[in-house]
Amino acid sequence: MKVGARVRIENLTKKYGDLIALYRVNLAAEPGRVTVIAGPSGSGKSTLLRLVAGLETPDEGKIYFDNEDVTPFPPWDRRSVMLSQRPVLLPHLTILENIVLAAESQGLTREEAMDEAHRIASFLGITDILDRRPGTLSGGQLQRASLAAVISARPRVLLLDEPFAHLDLPLRESFRRLVKDIARRQGITVIQVTHDQDEALELADNLVVLINGRVYDAGDPLRVYYNPSSLEVAAFLGHNIVCEPPFTRKKGVPASFPPEAVAIGKGPYSGTLAYVASRKHYTVLYIRVYNTTLKAVVQGVKRFDTGGRITFNIDESMVKVWNVRDDCKGINTAYAV
């Protein structure tokens, strides 16, 4: 049975006085898939989600669910649910009662709602907390219980406004897997917003990059990452942005390439190792060369000494040269890490 709705957004514009929060945004989200809207803070991500939910009204443009124009519909007529960092549970009810209440709101009988609640609780692994109240749960338990209540309401579209950002890393990684599983197994259309590039690339079946209220790129996440459509997208995704002719092969214009393009070892380039950042499964090196600091990624947690010279090569197949400037003086690296 089909659950999710195909969401189509056409030329959506939202203004707050003189501020243009969104400008002529177009995108689509499919049932059973996760569409991730990524962008820096203030790019309009949450505004876009609130418009899809019906919590805001656009100044221009249309929102369609399965070819039906829902732009004038109130939230309760859209069967879309938005989950943020704040749980959606009623504090005086048990978790089971919260889930059953949400299921009954869709016309299920008490017995049907109870069966649905236990099925979803089993799917989300929260059968052991059904008799508890929200105030007694941890943050991770609260979000799982909130997801259970949301799913039992059988939304056509599930909207996630960074609901797991306040959880610790292992829980965030667990919830990312859970969101993908919910979309596929429940057939729900999931749209999530994030400013975290790693989360975006892990979660997305369809990645939309929103910058300054405009869609700068959209599509397969690997294509967006390795072949970004603009310099701004490359910068947001953490690519190296350089302007020195030895890298760009063309004077006066910038080039970009991901950290993975930098291979440590023998090579024609050398620089000073300025900083080393050890992550869980890899190491990030910041190399000062010419007037630029390049970022390189080395698999595994390894020891490097800062201040020393380091040689490297660059995979030129991953370098993009941008003919977007007469010179490099105004290059925008605001989103680069």
Side-chain angles (χ1 to χ4, degrees):
M1 181 182 68
K2 180 182 175 183
V3 176
R6 184 177 190 271
V7 177
R8 190 172 84 254
I9 294 171
E10 293 185 353
N11 298 320
L12 207 62
T13 297
K14 179 64 179 178
K15 302 175 184 177
Y16 298 103
D18 293 333
L19 173 66
I20 301 177
L22 295 170
Y23 182 72
R24 299 185 68 81
V25 168
N26 293 275
L27 63 87
E30 302 290 342
R33 293 168 62 83
V34 180
T35 294
V36 174
I37 302 168
S41 298
S43 60
K45 302 185 300 295
S46 294
T47 297
L48 179 55
L49 221 60
R50 291 177 62 83
L51 287 167
V52 176
L55 301 174
E56 302 258 7
T57 303
D59 293 291
E60 298 175 17
K62 301 288 186 181
I63 302 169
Y64 295 91
F65 285 8
D66 286 336
N67 296 318
E68 180 180 27
D69 183 2
V70 301
T71 314
F73 289 11
W76 50 88
D77 284 342
R78 299 188 184 196
R79 280 184 56 201
S80 62
V81 178
M82 187 162 76
L83 182 64
S84 62
Q85 293 183 28
R86 181 176 298 175
V88 297
L89 305 172
L90 297 174
H92 62 285
L93 299 180
T94 67
I95 301 307
L96 178 60
E97 290 167 340
N98 268 284
I99 301 172
V100 167
L101 182 64
E104 288 179 326
S105 71
Q106 298 306 309
L108 273 65
T109 66
R110 183 72 176 182
E111 183 178 357
E112 290 170 335
M114 191 68 71
D115 288 342
E116 181 78 344
H118 282 287
R119 181 186 69 81
I120 292 172
S122 177
F123 168 61
L124 295 178
I126 58 169
T127 54
D128 58 329
I129 62 171
L130 290 178
D131 293 333
R132 294 170 61 180
R133 285 182 167 76
T136 69
L137 303 181
S138 67
Q141 290 172 325
L142 270 175
Q143 290 298 54
R144 280 186 182 266
S146 295
L147 272 174
V150 163
I151 294 171
S152 67
R154 298 184 176 180
R156 293 193 289 171
V157 182
L158 175 58
L159 306 166
L160 302 175
D161 191 2
E162 303 195 81
F164 316 126
H166 66 296
L167 302 177
D168 59 38
L169 181 59
L171 277 176
R172 289 203 305 274
E173 291 177 342
S174 173
F175 274 106
R176 290 171 191 169
R177 295 192 296 271
L178 185 58
V179 167
K180 297 276 275 193
D181 208 21
I182 287 171
R184 283 162 174 70
R185 292 176 59 181
Q186 303 293 319
I188 297 172
T189 305
V190 177
I191 304 176
Q192 175 159 341
V193 305
T194 184
H195 64 275
D196 185 316
Q197 297 97 326
D198 289 336
E199 181 171 84
L201 292 169
E202 179 180 343
L203 264 178
D205 296 305
N206 177 42
L207 177 60
V208 179
V209 179
L210 193 69
I211 300 174
N212 296 327
R214 293 163 170 80
V215 173
Y216 272 63
D217 207 343
D220 176 80
L222 290 181
R223 196 281 303 159
V224 172
Y225 182 74
Y226 286 111
N227 190 23
S229 64
S230 71
L231 183 63
E232 289 83 358
V233 173
F236 168 70
L237 292 173
H239 287 206
N240 292 296
I241 310 295
V242 297
C243 209
E244 284 74 11
F247 298 131
T248 67
R249 303 289 189 265
K250 194 171 184 179
K251 186 176 181 180
V253 297
S256 68
F257 48 90
E260 301 93 304
V262 182
I264 302 302
K266 294 182 179 180
Y269 306 109
S270 66
T272 302
L273 187 56
Y275 185 72
V276 179
S278 296
R279 305 291 165 80
K280 189 165 61 173
H281 301 300
Y282 59 95
T283 305
V284 183
L285 307 180
Y286 293 84
I287 305 166
R288 188 67 183 170
V289 55
Y290 303 118
N291 294 314
T292 298
T293 298
L294 298 181
K295 184 167 65 173
V297 172
V298 178
Q299 293 303 310
V301 180
K302 299 180 180 179
R303 184 179 298 279
F304 292 87
D305 295 323
T306 59
R309 299 294 291 179
I310 193 165
T311 59
F312 61 94
N313 201 351
I314 296 175
D315 183 347
E316 294 197 7
S317 69
M318 302 173 76
V319 176
K320 292 199 70 170
V321 177
W322 303 94
N323 294 305
V324 294
R325 301 285 196 278
D326 292 329
D327 57 53
C328 286
K329 294 179 182 178
I331 188 170
N332 180 4
T333 58
Y335 309 126
V337 177

